[in-house]
Amino acid sequence: MELLFLLILVLLMAVALGSGYPVAFALPGSSIIAIALAALCGYLFAGDPSAYFAQGGPWQWLSAGVTNLRGVYWEPERDTLIAIPLFIFMGIMLQRSKIAEDLLITMAQLFGPVPGGLGISVVFVGALLAATTGIVGATVVAMGLISLPAMLRNNYSQSLATGTIAASGTLGQIIPPSIVLIILADQLSSAADQAGTARKTLFKESTGELSMPSIFDVGSTSAGEMFLGAFLPGLVLVALYMIYILVYAYMKPDKAPPVPYEGKYDRAFITKVFLTLFPPLTLIFLVLGSIIAGIATVNQAGAIGAGGALIMAGYRLREGHKRAYWPALIAIFSLIAIAFVLSFFNTNVKAINTDSDRLGIALATLAVIGLTVALAWSGWRALKIEDTLRGVMVETAKTTALVFIILLGAAILTAAFRAFGGEHLVKEFLNGLPGGFWTKFVIVMAVIFILGFFLDFIEIAVVVVPIVAPILLADPGANITAVWLGVMIGLNIQTSFLTPPFGFALFYLRGVAPATVKTLQIYKGVIVFIGLQLAALAIVGALPQLVNYLPNRVAFLSDTAPPPRNPRLTYCIDRYVTEEVTRNGVAIAQAVLNAKAINIDALPRKLSSDATKSFDNVAKAIDLLKQANEAEKRIEEASVAFRPLHTEVRAIEADIRKIRKEIKDYDTRISRLNDPSELDARKKLEARVEVLNAEINALEQTIPSGWDAAYAKFNELKKAETDLRRAYMRASTQAYEPVGELLAVIDSSDAFRALEADLKAVKGQLDAATADNLANLVPVFKELERKVRDVEGTSDIKSALSKARRAVRARKPDQEKAVKEFDKALKLYAEQLDWRGKAEADIAPGLRQYEAAIRETIGIRQQQKMTKDQALYVAACASDHRDISLHF
């Protein structure tokens, strides 16, 4: 019965949407009606309102919908949604202030003389507007009003002209900053958490082990990462559009002829191009650059974009008047002043200590006032000239409200879909498909593409993604990243603007196109561009590095980058070390020989022994790494024969787990049937359980007889590789750590020598103290111990001083013992002072060369942060997908 009400839910939603009922009310309305109908039928026909729900009851799922609804606004983790109205404001302001119009006209004049040049200019401007506005409707309407008449007047093919304009207008959906990317990031962050839990459960059920290694965890994503991930795919799509137009113009020059510029390409034209292009490009750089550089969050970047658009509108609306550029110039000088102050002054108001600090605060205050004046002045102009600001604010409010209301409605719809077991049904369907992850992925992409014919991108993002994303992310068959999945879905649902019958870009263009342009020509024009979008989808699917590399690069080069010892980086770090050892193995071996030739007799016995072991462990670590890599190759070779058997058996075990879960549900229902009148129902359920148990027995018989032996053998190979990796890590630690610690001790020798005066001063106070004032030395001892503790390699001296302090602070102070322990500390200090001096002169230079030779290979895990070369290598390595299913 649950499936019946799930079908009713889907039909209600389809009818509501098809009849033109507002989406914001169709989604929650159909959900509430379906839940209420299921509860009513359950009460009337089964005596239980919860009888026709997969689990739980109507109130549980209605409250779940309310909880989801509240989460959109009140979950701190979802504050990224604040960026949506900011980017919407930026886009509409740039469009209303005619900056988009200036771009189109100027670029058409620049590219016009090239065959297909008008089409190229439309794509180029579409990409720029996508990176500054992200509003499809505004972009398509603007380009349709300005470019379409020019293209038709110059004998461009109607289908090429309309297809180019409609497709270029949709670039705002994938080129950041994009509203759909923000929504997808919000949905995928929750999906990644669910997928992580599901993968841990799968690992436990498959292997019997309680905890899953962190290297197999599912990584989440953010709006910033989505922006970075979508950047290169967006450029790929732009390149495909331009290449197609150029090829079309070459093959059919009469359909896309060159358009000579009637003016002159002189200094005035160059200045015009510069003034038209530079402000939008600067705004793109500030918005995206601040996110990429880690200077600003997505919300802060949105505020930068909104402010920048307002400044640009302030001078564009007053173009041709005196002082038109004054607000912009004030803003530029203010920003330069702020950058200067931040670079050379301390602007922490709570830490003002010097006149320089006060000067910095004063300059910063003036700069902020100047920027505020520029924004207020520009806003006043936008308000007074054609009531532009009011119109932009109203449109921003409408568009933002539309987005958020759909988000809220989708939250209730998702709860209803789960109430009737829809999520479980989809999961079982996808997991039951042959072919593993990629079959599931292709099916999901195909469904999203088809839904794009009928639904808007927001509806697809908030309804479909929460259901399918956890399933795809949890699958270890490809171990995809959330950002790659988000960009792939973003590219896919971008086609929803072009696919009839509800392609919104087609409607926008139809509304502004002249009557001579037939609707059929518009539809014909977008077909090729839909194909190009699908081609871009295939390219990005085959080359995940296009998506994953930039987010990885920024993450690994940032100040908060994970250290090389992070377990999740083990695979790529070992790849890097292997390549470096192969390339520089001779130099490393020579460095070890040179280090062994160093006379380290002056060092204390323990330090000398540790250093000697370090030299020996380098060769041992390299050998163990080689053995581990060979073990990995043996696993890869064995996996060819083992994988089909593993896939077959895991599929059978998944079916068995499904049946056992069903049996568990029946057992729960049986335990509740205790009334004698329910005896028949109880017997029916018990009979069903017997049938299911028989099915389990039958499935267990289908497991190949050689499975246990094959699994044990493959596990032995994996265990051997794991043991070798761990042994290599221990050897590499023992190879680098002693030398690193020894050099740290030697490097602190100046600080060590500075302790002599403090030690002598405290010794003098101790000798002069009497029994009455001996306890007053306790704070003095503590301060001395702190200073000693801050110097590397002084633990023995610090221990002696601690014993002296305890003798002083005892209930019966023992001055004699305190003096004895202090003298011991002085003796240790003198001994260490002697060998430190010798080590600085005779040992340190050779050890530094040795440490530098092994630091980035054998000693990489002891580093606090990756070098740039290491970070770039790991970023590239981690950008590809890696099948880890044989570990499950």
Side-chain angles (χ1 to χ4, degrees):
M1 290 298 291
E2 297 90 19
L3 296 181
L4 173 62
F5 288 102
L6 178 63
L7 180 61
I8 290 173
L9 170 65
V10 174
L11 289 176
L12 282 172
M13 185 176 65
V15 170
L17 293 175
S19 63
Y21 201 73
V23 175
F25 304 107
L27 299 183
S30 56
S31 306
I32 294 171
I33 291 174
I35 289 176
L37 187 62
L40 178 63
C41 291
Y43 177 76
L44 293 176
F45 301 114
D48 182 7
S50 62
Y52 299 144
F53 290 86
Q55 54 181 339
W59 297 116
Q60 173 185 334
W61 290 108
L62 286 174
S63 63
V66 173
T67 302
N68 292 344
L69 183 149
R70 292 173 59 192
V72 171
Y73 280 116
W74 288 309
E75 283 186 16
E77 295 82 1
R78 304 185 76 170
D79 67 337
T80 304
L81 296 177
I82 296 171
I84 291 177
L86 295 173
F87 285 124
I88 291 174
F89 176 90
M90 178 177 72
I92 297 176
M93 179 60 76
L94 291 176
Q95 190 269 331
R96 289 288 186 92
S97 61
K98 301 181 180 179
I99 290 173
E101 179 179 337
D102 293 344
L103 278 170
L104 279 166
I105 294 172
T106 305
M107 290 303 101
Q109 293 171 347
L110 184 63
F111 291 110
V114 179
L118 285 182
I120 295 295
S121 68
V122 169
V123 175
F124 183 81
V125 173
L128 283 181
L129 293 179
T132 52
T133 68
I135 309 299
V136 172
T139 304
V140 172
V141 168
M143 292 195 296
L145 288 171
I146 301 163
S147 296
L148 185 57
M151 296 174 83
L152 297 177
R153 190 167 56 249
N154 288 282
N155 299 319
Y156 263 67
S157 162
Q158 286 191 4
S159 59
L160 176 65
T162 54
T164 300
I165 291 172
S168 299
T170 67
L171 289 171
Q173 295 305 292
I174 194 63
I175 294 180
S178 162
I179 295 172
V180 68
L181 294 178
I182 297 174
I183 295 173
L184 284 171
D186 176 68
Q187 300 295 326
L188 287 168
S189 61
S190 300
D193 293 337
Q194 298 175 43
T197 302
R199 186 176 287 186
K200 289 173 183 175
T201 302
L202 177 63
F203 185 84
K204 181 180 178 181
E205 291 175 346
S206 300
T207 65
E209 298 180 19
L210 296 178
S211 60
M212 182 182 73
S214 60
I215 194 173
F216 300 146
D217 282 343
V218 177
S220 187
T221 188
S222 64
E225 287 184 337
M226 289 292 293
F227 284 3
L228 290 169
F231 185 72
L232 291 179
L235 295 183
V236 168
L237 195 56
V238 170
L240 288 176
Y241 287 177
M242 289 185 173
I243 291 170
Y244 167 71
I245 293 170
L246 288 173
V247 171
Y248 186 93
Y250 176 78
M251 296 178 65
K252 298 181 178 181
D254 58 318
K255 300 292 186 180
V259 182
Y261 175 49
E262 297 178 358
K264 295 181 179 180
Y265 291 105
D266 53 10
R267 181 179 297 177
F269 180 78
I270 295 173
T271 303
K272 179 183 177 183
V273 171
F274 176 80
L275 291 177
T276 303
L277 273 179
F278 183 72
L281 289 175
T282 302
L283 187 61
I284 294 169
F285 174 78
L286 289 175
V287 172
L288 296 184
S290 61
I291 296 173
I292 292 172
I295 298 172
T297 64
V298 173
N299 294 340
Q300 294 164 346
I304 293 171
L310 188 60
I311 295 291
M312 291 166 63
Y315 70 73
R316 177 60 182 82
L317 292 170
R318 289 281 294 176
E319 190 175 33
H321 293 76
K322 291 183 178 180
R323 298 188 294 275
Y325 289 94
W326 278 30
L329 292 174
I330 292 172
I332 291 171
F333 286 126
S334 298
L335 289 173
I336 293 173
I338 289 172
F340 174 79
V341 170
L342 290 174
S343 300
F344 296 100
F345 293 94
N346 175 22
T347 55
N348 187 348
V349 178
K350 296 181 180 179
I352 300 176
N353 297 316
T354 64
D355 290 338
S356 176
D357 295 340
R358 296 184 185 92
L359 177 61
I361 295 296
L363 292 175
T365 302
L366 289 174
V368 170
I369 290 173
L371 184 59
T372 304
V373 168
L375 286 169
W377 195 348
S378 299
W380 179 256
R381 286 180 172 180
L383 180 64
K384 289 300 180 181
I385 300 175
E386 301 177 7
D387 206 18
T388 303
L389 182 60
R390 181 180 180 278
V392 171
M393 295 293 287
V394 170
E395 287 301 313
T396 300
K398 287 180 179 178
T399 307
T400 303
L402 172 67
V403 171
F404 275 86
I405 289 175
I406 292 176
L407 283 172
L408 300 178
I412 297 177
L413 177 66
T414 302
F417 192 77
R418 289 171 177 163
F420 301 120
E423 186 177 36
H424 179 72
L425 187 67
V426 172
K427 182 178 180 181
E428 292 299 324
F429 168 72
L430 290 177
N431 288 334
L433 291 172
F437 168 82
W438 293 108
T439 301
K440 300 180 201 175
F441 179 74
V442 170
I443 293 294
V444 168
M445 288 291 109
V447 169
I448 290 175
F449 177 72
I450 293 170
L451 288 175
F453 284 75
F454 310 101
L455 300 179
D456 188 11
F457 74 97
I458 299 178
E459 295 140 44
I460 297 173
V462 299
V463 174
V464 179
V465 173
I467 296 169
V468 300
I471 301 170
L472 296 176
L473 290 173
D475 195 309
N479 195 29
I480 60 171
T481 61
V483 64
W484 179 83
L485 179 61
V487 171
M488 291 293 289
I489 292 174
L491 276 170
N492 196 344
I493 62 179
Q494 183 184 355
T495 61
S496 67
F497 280 93
L498 299 180
T499 48
F502 299 120
F504 291 99
L506 307 179
F507 294 149
Y508 297 142
L509 186 57
R510 175 68 277 175
V512 297
T516 55
V517 178
K518 304 301 180 184
T519 302
L520 183 61
Q521 291 297 327
I522 298 177
Y523 281 16
K524 285 173 61 179
V526 298
I527 291 175
V528 174
F529 289 94
I530 292 172
L532 292 174
Q533 289 179 342
L534 295 178
L537 191 68
I539 291 171
V540 176
L543 299 172
Q545 297 88 346
L546 289 171
V547 174
N548 294 327
Y549 178 71
L550 273 183
N552 287 342
R553 179 189 174 103
V554 171
F556 293 147
L557 288 175
S558 69
D559 293 334
T560 58
R565 69 174 64 92
N566 188 305
R568 297 196 67 178
L569 303 180
T570 297
Y571 178 81
C572 291
I573 290 293
D574 284 356
R575 300 275 78 72
Y576 174 83
V577 174
T578 298
E579 291 188 15
E580 289 298 307
V581 167
T582 303
R583 186 183 300 112
N584 302 316
V586 175
I588 294 173
Q590 186 60 48
V592 173
L593 291 175
N594 294 340
K596 287 183 176 180
I598 300 172
N599 185 356
I600 56 176
D601 293 340
L603 297 177
R605 184 168 57 185
K606 184 178 185 308
L607 291 178
S608 176
S609 174
D610 289 346
T612 302
K613 291 178 181 177
S614 168
F615 307 148
D616 296 334
N617 275 311
V618 171
K620 181 180 177 182
I622 292 175
D623 183 59
L624 286 169
L625 179 60
K626 181 180 178 181
Q627 292 181 46
N629 290 332
E630 290 172 352
E632 183 181 354
K633 289 180 181 177
R634 288 194 292 272
I635 291 175
E636 291 176 358
E637 292 168 357
S639 66
V640 175
F642 179 71
R643 186 180 297 279
L645 179 61
H646 176 272
T647 303
E648 179 186 358
V649 173
R650 291 308 187 211
I652 295 171
E653 290 177 344
D655 291 338
I656 292 174
R657 286 196 297 270
K658 178 182 176 182
I659 295 174
R660 282 178 177 160
K661 184 178 179 181
E662 190 176 351
I663 289 174
K664 185 177 179 181
D665 292 339
Y666 279 125
D667 287 339
T668 302
R669 293 170 63 180
I670 288 171
S671 66
R672 295 173 181 172
L673 300 175
N674 296 318
D675 192 277
S677 62
E678 300 171 330
L679 185 59
D680 290 340
R682 182 186 180 97
K683 288 182 178 180
K684 289 180 180 179
L685 293 178
E686 288 174 345
R688 178 59 182 161
V689 168
E690 289 180 7
V691 172
L692 293 176
N693 280 321
E695 289 182 11
I696 289 177
N697 292 331
L699 285 172
E700 288 175 343
Q701 296 301 316
T702 63
I703 296 177
S705 57
W707 162 248
D708 291 335
Y711 182 69
K713 184 178 179 180
F714 193 78
N715 260 0
E716 287 178 7
L717 292 175
K718 289 197 299 181
K719 184 177 183 302
E721 192 225 358
T722 301
D723 291 343
L724 285 169
R725 297 275 177 206
R726 289 173 178 169
Y728 154 70
M729 290 181 190
R730 287 193 298 270
S732 62
T733 300
Q734 293 165 1
Y736 180 84
E737 203 170 66
V739 174
E741 292 175 353
L742 178 55
L743 284 174
V745 170
I746 296 174
D747 289 342
S748 66
S749 293
D750 288 339
F752 185 80
R753 294 187 188 95
L755 294 174
E756 185 173 5
D758 292 319
L759 286 166
K760 288 181 177 179
V762 176
K763 180 61 166 63
Q765 293 181 53
L766 180 60
D767 290 340
T770 63
D772 295 333
N773 62 9
L774 195 60
N776 295 336
L777 293 179
V778 172
V780 177
F781 269 91
K782 286 184 177 180
E783 178 62 20
L784 179 61
E785 287 178 57
R786 185 191 63 78
K787 291 181 178 179
V788 172
R789 183 176 62 247
D790 291 342
V791 179
E792 295 287 341
T794 58
S795 58
D796 52 349
I797 300 174
K798 197 266 182 187
S799 177
L801 291 175
S802 296
K803 291 178 181 178
R805 174 174 54 81
R806 286 195 292 270
V808 167
R809 66 175 295 182
R811 184 174 297 178
K812 293 182 178 181
D814 189 342
Q815 187 172 11
E816 182 179 348
K817 182 178 179 182
V819 170
K820 180 182 177 182
E821 292 296 338
F822 206 99
D823 288 340
K824 180 181 177 182
L826 289 173
K827 180 182 178 182
L828 292 169
Y829 178 82
E831 292 174 354
Q832 192 170 150
L833 192 63
D834 179 58
W835 68 255
R836 277 178 181 259
K838 295 176 181 177
E840 276 186 301
D842 304 328
I843 299 174
L847 279 183
R848 291 189 202 286
Q849 294 179 5
Y850 167 72
E851 186 271 341
I854 68 169
R855 180 194 308 143
E856 295 187 10
T857 51
I858 301 303
I860 189 172
R861 282 189 173 81
Q862 276 64 55
Q863 308 305 310
Q864 294 300 313
K865 190 175 181 180
M866 289 182 283
T867 65
K868 183 178 180 179
D869 289 342
Q870 292 167 351
L872 294 180
Y873 181 95
V874 173
C877 171
S879 297
D880 203 359
H881 298 149
R882 185 166 65 95
D883 186 349
I884 58 172
S885 59
L886 293 182
H887 295 275
F888 286 76

